[in-house]
Amino acid sequence: MDWYDNILELIDMRSFSNLWFWIALAVVWSTASHWVLGVPFDMVARARRYGGQSAEDLEDLVRINTHRLLFIGQVSGLWALGFVCFSLTALGLLGFVYKVEFAQALFLLGFPLSIVGALNLSTARLIQAEGAQGEALWRRLTRHRTWVQAVGMMSIFVTALWGMFQNLSVGPFSG
């Protein structure tokens, strides 16, 4: 069993002291802020800069993705909402009541992403209701991206604080 202890010492299995968790957190939030309603944000910049075919491509892709999101919301929205609420509640209870660190990490990833999902639906409804095109669409997508980045920054900040607290309370400095 000595080799098993050596492996577990080498690869820390706790979430907040594991480098892979922090890499995953960075990848999740960089991806969430780059893909705005399923559209890469560089397309917004290209449409704003060049117009023409780039703007048409952006409008087509946004139209397709907003219709897709709203259709999914109408068809299975209540079921999806129930599943997400159940999952987040279970993770929250396991993590913060029963002190399961892995569940805490998943909750701190999943809860802010559920806020981003709600923002996606709201923005898709606004774009469809306004029939946004051109400059109005670009402003709406930029505003949405700013909100997603704000949620991401808050999430990273709270996760980092909680992770430091966990590492200090469980680690070698805890006494």
Side-chain angles (χ1 to χ4, degrees):
M1 279 298 182
D2 189 36
W3 64 271
Y4 183 73
D5 292 334
N6 289 336
I7 289 175
L8 285 180
E9 187 176 323
L10 180 65
I11 304 170
D12 193 359
M13 300 304 277
R14 291 183 23 248
S15 299
F16 296 113
S17 61
N18 193 332
L19 177 63
W20 292 109
F21 171 75
W22 297 105
I23 291 172
L25 183 72
V27 167
V28 162
W29 286 111
S30 67
T31 302
S33 68
H34 178 70
W35 290 87
V36 179
L37 293 178
V39 177
F41 194 74
D42 61 289
M43 284 186 74
V44 177
R46 191 176 319 124
R48 184 175 281 155
R49 189 175 311 127
Y50 300 117
Q53 186 63 44
S54 297
E56 288 178 28
D57 290 347
L58 174 69
E59 290 173 5
D60 290 340
L61 199 51
V62 168
R63 180 183 48 77
I64 290 168
N65 285 333
T66 55
H67 286 310
R68 183 181 141 268
L69 276 173
L70 293 175
F71 178 76
I72 291 170
Q74 290 169 353
V75 170
S76 60
L78 287 177
W79 283 100
L81 180 66
F83 178 75
V84 167
C85 288
F86 171 79
S87 300
L88 289 174
T89 301
L91 287 173
L93 287 172
L94 281 171
F96 299 104
V97 175
Y98 294 107
K99 309 286 189 235
V100 178
E101 190 173 319
F102 185 68
Q104 292 172 359
L106 288 178
F107 180 85
L108 290 171
L109 277 171
F111 180 71
L113 285 175
S114 69
I115 294 171
V116 170
L119 282 172
N120 284 342
L121 276 173
S122 174
T123 302
R125 282 194 183 106
L126 286 172
I127 288 172
Q128 191 176 49
E130 295 171 348
Q133 294 180 335
E135 185 66 35
L137 177 63
W138 306 335
R139 274 195 312 271
R140 176 71 61 198
L141 291 174
T142 302
R143 189 175 308 127
H144 176 73
R145 182 180 192 224
T146 302
W147 279 108
V148 169
Q149 287 175 331
V151 170
M153 286 189 301
M154 267 318 256
S155 170
I156 291 170
F157 179 72
V158 168
T159 302
L161 284 179
W162 185 256
M164 284 188 284
F165 171 74
Q166 285 296 104
N167 287 336
L168 289 174
S169 65
V170 177
F173 301 116
S174 61

Short mmCIF file of all heavy atoms in Angstrom, two decimals, residues 81-132:
data_model
loop_
_atom_site.label_atom_id
_atom_site.label_comp_id
_atom_site.label_asym_id
_atom_site.label_seq_id
_atom_site.Cartn_x
_atom_site.Cartn_y
_atom_site.Cartn_z
N LEU A 81 -35.19 22.88 -16.19
CA LEU A 81 -35.12 23.69 -14.98
C LEU A 81 -35.20 22.82 -13.73
O LEU A 81 -34.44 23.00 -12.78
CB LEU A 81 -36.24 24.73 -14.98
CG LEU A 81 -36.28 25.65 -13.76
CD1 LEU A 81 -35.06 26.54 -13.71
CD2 LEU A 81 -37.56 26.47 -13.78
N GLY A 82 -36.12 21.86 -13.74
CA GLY A 82 -36.24 20.95 -12.60
C GLY A 82 -34.98 20.13 -12.38
O GLY A 82 -34.53 19.97 -11.24
N PHE A 83 -34.41 19.62 -13.46
CA PHE A 83 -33.18 18.83 -13.34
C PHE A 83 -32.03 19.68 -12.82
O PHE A 83 -31.27 19.24 -11.95
CB PHE A 83 -32.83 18.20 -14.69
CG PHE A 83 -31.56 17.40 -14.66
CD1 PHE A 83 -31.53 16.16 -14.06
CD2 PHE A 83 -30.40 17.91 -15.23
CE1 PHE A 83 -30.35 15.42 -14.01
CE2 PHE A 83 -29.23 17.18 -15.19
CZ PHE A 83 -29.20 15.94 -14.57
N VAL A 84 -31.88 20.90 -13.35
CA VAL A 84 -30.80 21.78 -12.91
C VAL A 84 -30.97 22.16 -11.44
O VAL A 84 -30.02 22.12 -10.67
CB VAL A 84 -30.72 23.04 -13.81
CG1 VAL A 84 -29.83 24.11 -13.21
CG2 VAL A 84 -30.22 22.67 -15.19
N CYS A 85 -32.20 22.49 -11.05
CA CYS A 85 -32.45 22.85 -9.64
C CYS A 85 -32.18 21.66 -8.72
O CYS A 85 -31.57 21.82 -7.65
CB CYS A 85 -33.88 23.35 -9.47
SG CYS A 85 -34.15 24.98 -10.18
N PHE A 86 -32.62 20.47 -9.13
CA PHE A 86 -32.36 19.27 -8.33
C PHE A 86 -30.86 19.03 -8.20
O PHE A 86 -30.36 18.78 -7.10
CB PHE A 86 -33.04 18.05 -8.95
CG PHE A 86 -32.64 16.76 -8.32
CD1 PHE A 86 -33.20 16.37 -7.11
CD2 PHE A 86 -31.70 15.94 -8.92
CE1 PHE A 86 -32.83 15.18 -6.51
CE2 PHE A 86 -31.31 14.75 -8.33
CZ PHE A 86 -31.88 14.37 -7.11
N SER A 87 -30.15 19.10 -9.32
CA SER A 87 -28.70 18.84 -9.31
C SER A 87 -27.96 19.85 -8.45
O SER A 87 -27.07 19.49 -7.66
CB SER A 87 -28.14 18.86 -10.73
OG SER A 87 -28.75 17.88 -11.51
N LEU A 88 -28.29 21.13 -8.61
CA LEU A 88 -27.60 22.16 -7.82
C LEU A 88 -27.93 22.05 -6.34
O LEU A 88 -27.06 22.25 -5.49
CB LEU A 88 -27.94 23.55 -8.35
CG LEU A 88 -27.32 23.91 -9.70
CD1 LEU A 88 -27.84 25.26 -10.18
CD2 LEU A 88 -25.81 23.90 -9.63
N THR A 89 -29.17 21.69 -6.02
CA THR A 89 -29.54 21.49 -4.62
C THR A 89 -28.79 20.31 -4.03
O THR A 89 -28.26 20.39 -2.92
CB THR A 89 -31.05 21.28 -4.49
OG1 THR A 89 -31.72 22.43 -5.01
CG2 THR A 89 -31.46 21.09 -3.04
N ALA A 90 -28.73 19.22 -4.78
CA ALA A 90 -28.00 18.04 -4.29
C ALA A 90 -26.52 18.35 -4.11
O ALA A 90 -25.92 17.99 -3.08
CB ALA A 90 -28.17 16.88 -5.27
N LEU A 91 -25.92 19.05 -5.08
CA LEU A 91 -24.51 19.41 -4.95
C LEU A 91 -24.28 20.38 -3.79
O LEU A 91 -23.30 20.25 -3.05
CB LEU A 91 -23.99 20.04 -6.24
CG LEU A 91 -23.77 19.10 -7.42
CD1 LEU A 91 -23.44 19.88 -8.68
CD2 LEU A 91 -22.68 18.09 -7.09
N GLY A 92 -25.20 21.33 -3.62
CA GLY A 92 -25.07 22.27 -2.51
C GLY A 92 -25.17 21.59 -1.16
O GLY A 92 -24.38 21.88 -0.25
N LEU A 93 -26.11 20.68 -1.03
CA LEU A 93 -26.25 19.95 0.23
C LEU A 93 -25.06 19.04 0.48
O LEU A 93 -24.50 19.02 1.59
CB LEU A 93 -27.54 19.12 0.23
CG LEU A 93 -28.83 19.91 0.38
CD1 LEU A 93 -30.03 18.99 0.18
CD2 LEU A 93 -28.89 20.59 1.74
N LEU A 94 -24.66 18.27 -0.54
CA LEU A 94 -23.50 17.40 -0.36
C LEU A 94 -22.24 18.20 -0.05
O LEU A 94 -21.43 17.80 0.78
CB LEU A 94 -23.27 16.56 -1.63
CG LEU A 94 -24.16 15.36 -1.84
CD1 LEU A 94 -23.95 14.79 -3.24
CD2 LEU A 94 -23.86 14.30 -0.79
N GLY A 95 -22.10 19.33 -0.73
CA GLY A 95 -20.88 20.10 -0.57
C GLY A 95 -20.80 20.88 0.72
O GLY A 95 -19.78 20.83 1.41
N PHE A 96 -21.85 21.61 1.03
CA PHE A 96 -21.74 22.56 2.13
C PHE A 96 -22.37 22.08 3.43
O PHE A 96 -22.06 22.62 4.49
CB PHE A 96 -22.32 23.91 1.69
CG PHE A 96 -21.57 24.47 0.52
CD1 PHE A 96 -22.11 24.43 -0.75
CD2 PHE A 96 -20.31 25.01 0.68
CE1 PHE A 96 -21.42 24.92 -1.84
CE2 PHE A 96 -19.60 25.52 -0.40
CZ PHE A 96 -20.15 25.48 -1.66
N VAL A 97 -23.23 21.08 3.38
CA VAL A 97 -23.78 20.51 4.61
C VAL A 97 -22.97 19.28 5.01
O VAL A 97 -22.56 19.14 6.16
CB VAL A 97 -25.28 20.16 4.45
CG1 VAL A 97 -25.80 19.44 5.67
CG2 VAL A 97 -26.09 21.42 4.18
N TYR A 98 -22.70 18.40 4.01
CA TYR A 98 -21.98 17.16 4.30
C TYR A 98 -20.48 17.27 4.04
O TYR A 98 -19.76 16.30 4.16
CB TYR A 98 -22.57 16.00 3.52
CG TYR A 98 -23.98 15.69 3.96
CD1 TYR A 98 -25.07 16.01 3.17
CD2 TYR A 98 -24.21 15.08 5.19
CE1 TYR A 98 -26.36 15.74 3.59
CE2 TYR A 98 -25.49 14.80 5.61
CZ TYR A 98 -26.56 15.14 4.81
OH TYR A 98 -27.83 14.87 5.24
N LYS A 99 -20.01 18.45 3.63
CA LYS A 99 -18.58 18.75 3.49
C LYS A 99 -17.84 17.88 2.47
O LYS A 99 -16.70 17.50 2.68
CB LYS A 99 -17.87 18.65 4.84
CG LYS A 99 -18.51 19.42 5.96
CD LYS A 99 -18.27 20.89 5.82
CE LYS A 99 -18.73 21.60 7.08
NZ LYS A 99 -19.68 22.65 6.82
N VAL A 100 -18.49 17.56 1.35
CA VAL A 100 -17.84 16.83 0.27
C VAL A 100 -17.21 17.86 -0.67
O VAL A 100 -17.90 18.61 -1.34
CB VAL A 100 -18.85 15.94 -0.49
CG1 VAL A 100 -18.18 15.23 -1.65
CG2 VAL A 100 -19.51 14.95 0.44
N GLU A 101 -15.88 17.90 -0.68
CA GLU A 101 -15.17 18.94 -1.41
C GLU A 101 -15.42 18.88 -2.92
O GLU A 101 -15.53 19.91 -3.58
CB GLU A 101 -13.67 18.86 -1.12
CG GLU A 101 -12.90 20.04 -1.65
CD GLU A 101 -11.47 20.05 -1.21
OE1 GLU A 101 -11.19 19.75 -0.04
OE2 GLU A 101 -10.61 20.38 -2.05
N PHE A 102 -15.52 17.69 -3.47
CA PHE A 102 -15.78 17.55 -4.90
C PHE A 102 -17.14 18.15 -5.27
O PHE A 102 -17.29 18.82 -6.29
CB PHE A 102 -15.72 16.07 -5.30
CG PHE A 102 -15.86 15.84 -6.78
CD1 PHE A 102 -14.87 16.24 -7.66
CD2 PHE A 102 -16.99 15.22 -7.29
CE1 PHE A 102 -15.01 16.05 -9.01
CE2 PHE A 102 -17.13 15.02 -8.64
CZ PHE A 102 -16.13 15.43 -9.52
N ALA A 103 -18.14 17.95 -4.42
CA ALA A 103 -19.46 18.53 -4.66
C ALA A 103 -19.41 20.05 -4.54
O ALA A 103 -20.10 20.76 -5.28
CB ALA A 103 -20.49 17.95 -3.69
N GLN A 104 -18.61 20.56 -3.63
CA GLN A 104 -18.44 22.01 -3.52
C GLN A 104 -17.87 22.57 -4.82
O GLN A 104 -18.33 23.60 -5.33
CB GLN A 104 -17.50 22.36 -2.37
CG GLN A 104 -18.04 22.07 -1.00
CD GLN A 104 -16.99 22.27 0.09
OE1 GLN A 104 -15.84 22.60 -0.18
NE2 GLN A 104 -17.41 22.05 1.33
N ALA A 105 -16.86 21.89 -5.34
CA ALA A 105 -16.22 22.35 -6.58
C ALA A 105 -17.21 22.32 -7.75
O ALA A 105 -17.28 23.28 -8.53
CB ALA A 105 -15.00 21.47 -6.89
N LEU A 106 -17.98 21.25 -7.85
CA LEU A 106 -18.97 21.18 -8.93
C LEU A 106 -20.05 22.23 -8.77
O LEU A 106 -20.51 22.81 -9.76
CB LEU A 106 -19.58 19.78 -8.99
CG LEU A 106 -18.68 18.67 -9.52
CD1 LEU A 106 -19.41 17.33 -9.47
CD2 LEU A 106 -18.21 18.98 -10.91
N PHE A 107 -20.47 22.49 -7.54
CA PHE A 107 -21.48 23.53 -7.30
C PHE A 107 -20.93 24.90 -7.69
O PHE A 107 -21.64 25.71 -8.32
CB PHE A 107 -21.91 23.54 -5.83
CG PHE A 107 -22.94 24.58 -5.52
CD1 PHE A 107 -24.28 24.30 -5.74
CD2 PHE A 107 -22.58 25.82 -5.03
CE1 PHE A 107 -25.25 25.26 -5.47
CE2 PHE A 107 -23.54 26.78 -4.76
CZ PHE A 107 -24.87 26.50 -4.98
N LEU A 108 -19.68 25.17 -7.33
CA LEU A 108 -19.09 26.47 -7.65
C LEU A 108 -18.83 26.64 -9.14
O LEU A 108 -18.67 27.76 -9.62
CB LEU A 108 -17.80 26.68 -6.85
CG LEU A 108 -18.02 26.89 -5.35
CD1 LEU A 108 -16.71 26.87 -4.59
CD2 LEU A 108 -18.77 28.19 -5.09
N LEU A 109 -18.81 25.55 -9.88
CA LEU A 109 -18.77 25.63 -11.35
C LEU A 109 -20.18 25.72 -11.92
O LEU A 109 -20.44 26.52 -12.83
CB LEU A 109 -18.09 24.39 -11.93
CG LEU A 109 -16.58 24.36 -11.99
CD1 LEU A 109 -16.10 22.97 -12.39
CD2 LEU A 109 -16.05 25.39 -12.94
N GLY A 110 -21.09 24.92 -11.40
CA GLY A 110 -22.41 24.79 -12.00
C GLY A 110 -23.38 25.92 -11.71
O GLY A 110 -24.14 26.32 -12.60
N PHE A 111 -23.37 26.45 -10.49
CA PHE A 111 -24.33 27.50 -10.16
C PHE A 111 -24.15 28.76 -11.02
O PHE A 111 -25.12 29.25 -11.60
CB PHE A 111 -24.26 27.84 -8.66
CG PHE A 111 -25.22 28.91 -8.26
CD1 PHE A 111 -26.59 28.65 -8.23
CD2 PHE A 111 -24.78 30.18 -7.95
CE1 PHE A 111 -27.48 29.65 -7.88
CE2 PHE A 111 -25.66 31.18 -7.60
CZ PHE A 111 -27.02 30.91 -7.57
N PRO A 112 -22.93 29.28 -11.17
CA PRO A 112 -22.77 30.45 -12.04
C PRO A 112 -23.09 30.13 -13.51
O PRO A 112 -23.60 30.99 -14.23
CB PRO A 112 -21.31 30.85 -11.87
CG PRO A 112 -20.86 30.20 -10.63
CD PRO A 112 -21.69 28.97 -10.46
N LEU A 113 -22.81 28.91 -13.93
CA LEU A 113 -23.14 28.54 -15.31
C LEU A 113 -24.65 28.48 -15.52
O LEU A 113 -25.14 28.75 -16.62
CB LEU A 113 -22.50 27.21 -15.69
CG LEU A 113 -21.00 27.28 -15.95
CD1 LEU A 113 -20.44 25.88 -16.21
CD2 LEU A 113 -20.68 28.20 -17.11
N SER A 114 -25.40 28.16 -14.46
CA SER A 114 -26.86 28.20 -14.59
C SER A 114 -27.34 29.64 -14.74
O SER A 114 -28.32 29.90 -15.45
CB SER A 114 -27.52 27.52 -13.39
OG SER A 114 -27.35 28.28 -12.21
N ILE A 115 -26.67 30.58 -14.12
CA ILE A 115 -26.99 32.00 -14.30
C ILE A 115 -26.71 32.41 -15.74
O ILE A 115 -27.50 33.12 -16.37
CB ILE A 115 -26.21 32.87 -13.30
CG1 ILE A 115 -26.66 32.58 -11.87
CG2 ILE A 115 -26.36 34.36 -13.63
CD1 ILE A 115 -25.81 33.23 -10.80
N VAL A 116 -25.60 31.93 -16.28
CA VAL A 116 -25.27 32.22 -17.69
C VAL A 116 -26.31 31.60 -18.61
O VAL A 116 -26.70 32.21 -19.61
CB VAL A 116 -23.84 31.73 -18.03
CG1 VAL A 116 -23.57 31.79 -19.52
CG2 VAL A 116 -22.81 32.55 -17.28
N GLY A 117 -26.80 30.42 -18.29
CA GLY A 117 -27.86 29.80 -19.09
C GLY A 117 -29.13 30.65 -19.09
O GLY A 117 -29.77 30.82 -20.13
N ALA A 118 -29.48 31.18 -17.93
CA ALA A 118 -30.66 32.06 -17.85
C ALA A 118 -30.43 33.34 -18.65
O ALA A 118 -31.33 33.84 -19.33
CB ALA A 118 -30.98 32.38 -16.40
N LEU A 119 -29.21 33.88 -18.58
CA LEU A 119 -28.86 35.07 -19.39
C LEU A 119 -28.96 34.76 -20.88
O LEU A 119 -29.42 35.60 -21.66
CB LEU A 119 -27.45 35.55 -19.06
CG LEU A 119 -27.25 36.34 -17.79
CD1 LEU A 119 -25.77 36.56 -17.52
CD2 LEU A 119 -27.97 37.67 -17.87
N ASN A 120 -28.53 33.57 -21.27
CA ASN A 120 -28.63 33.17 -22.68
C ASN A 120 -30.08 33.17 -23.15
O ASN A 120 -30.39 33.69 -24.23
CB ASN A 120 -28.01 31.80 -22.91
CG ASN A 120 -26.50 31.82 -22.92
OD1 ASN A 120 -25.88 32.86 -23.08
ND2 ASN A 120 -25.91 30.66 -22.72
N LEU A 121 -30.95 32.57 -22.35
CA LEU A 121 -32.37 32.53 -22.72
C LEU A 121 -32.97 33.93 -22.78
O LEU A 121 -33.72 34.26 -23.70
CB LEU A 121 -33.16 31.68 -21.73
CG LEU A 121 -33.16 30.18 -21.99
CD1 LEU A 121 -33.84 29.44 -20.85
CD2 LEU A 121 -33.84 29.87 -23.30
N SER A 122 -32.64 34.75 -21.81
CA SER A 122 -33.16 36.11 -21.78
C SER A 122 -32.69 36.92 -23.00
O SER A 122 -33.49 37.61 -23.64
CB SER A 122 -32.72 36.80 -20.48
OG SER A 122 -33.10 38.15 -20.49
N THR A 123 -31.42 36.82 -23.31
CA THR A 123 -30.88 37.55 -24.46
C THR A 123 -31.46 37.02 -25.76
O THR A 123 -31.78 37.81 -26.67
CB THR A 123 -29.34 37.47 -24.48
OG1 THR A 123 -28.84 37.99 -23.25
CG2 THR A 123 -28.76 38.25 -25.63
N ALA A 124 -31.64 35.71 -25.86
CA ALA A 124 -32.25 35.14 -27.07
C ALA A 124 -33.67 35.66 -27.24
O ALA A 124 -34.08 36.01 -28.36
CB ALA A 124 -32.24 33.62 -27.00
N ARG A 125 -34.43 35.74 -26.15
CA ARG A 125 -35.80 36.28 -26.23
C ARG A 125 -35.80 37.74 -26.66
O ARG A 125 -36.62 38.17 -27.47
CB ARG A 125 -36.50 36.14 -24.89
CG ARG A 125 -37.00 34.75 -24.63
CD ARG A 125 -37.98 34.70 -23.47
NE ARG A 125 -38.35 33.32 -23.25
CZ ARG A 125 -37.92 32.59 -22.22
NH1 ARG A 125 -37.14 33.13 -21.31
NH2 ARG A 125 -38.29 31.34 -22.09
N LEU A 126 -34.87 38.53 -26.09
CA LEU A 126 -34.78 39.94 -26.46
C LEU A 126 -34.42 40.13 -27.92
O LEU A 126 -34.99 40.97 -28.62
CB LEU A 126 -33.77 40.66 -25.57
CG LEU A 126 -34.19 40.94 -24.14
CD1 LEU A 126 -33.03 41.46 -23.32
CD2 LEU A 126 -35.34 41.93 -24.13
N ILE A 127 -33.45 39.35 -28.41
CA ILE A 127 -33.04 39.46 -29.81
C ILE A 127 -34.19 39.11 -30.73
O ILE A 127 -34.44 39.80 -31.72
CB ILE A 127 -31.80 38.57 -30.08
CG1 ILE A 127 -30.57 39.19 -29.42
CG2 ILE A 127 -31.57 38.38 -31.57
CD1 ILE A 127 -29.35 38.30 -29.45
N GLN A 128 -34.91 38.05 -30.39
CA GLN A 128 -36.03 37.65 -31.24
C GLN A 128 -37.18 38.66 -31.17
O GLN A 128 -37.78 38.99 -32.19
CB GLN A 128 -36.53 36.26 -30.85
CG GLN A 128 -37.49 35.69 -31.87
CD GLN A 128 -37.89 34.29 -31.53
OE1 GLN A 128 -38.27 34.02 -30.40
NE2 GLN A 128 -37.80 33.40 -32.51
N ALA A 129 -37.46 39.18 -29.97
CA ALA A 129 -38.55 40.14 -29.83
C ALA A 129 -38.24 41.45 -30.55
O ALA A 129 -39.12 42.06 -31.16
CB ALA A 129 -38.83 40.41 -28.36
N GLU A 130 -36.99 41.89 -30.48
CA GLU A 130 -36.59 43.14 -31.13
C GLU A 130 -36.38 42.96 -32.62
O GLU A 130 -36.39 43.95 -33.36
CB GLU A 130 -35.28 43.65 -30.52
CG GLU A 130 -35.36 44.07 -29.09
CD GLU A 130 -33.98 44.35 -28.49
OE1 GLU A 130 -32.95 44.02 -29.13
OE2 GLU A 130 -33.94 44.89 -27.38
N GLY A 131 -36.12 41.72 -33.03
CA GLY A 131 -35.71 41.49 -34.41
C GLY A 131 -34.38 42.18 -34.69
O GLY A 131 -34.17 42.76 -35.75
N ALA A 132 -33.49 42.12 -33.69
CA ALA A 132 -32.23 42.86 -33.74
C ALA A 132 -31.37 42.43 -34.92
O ALA A 132 -31.20 41.24 -35.18
CB ALA A 132 -31.46 42.66 -32.44
#
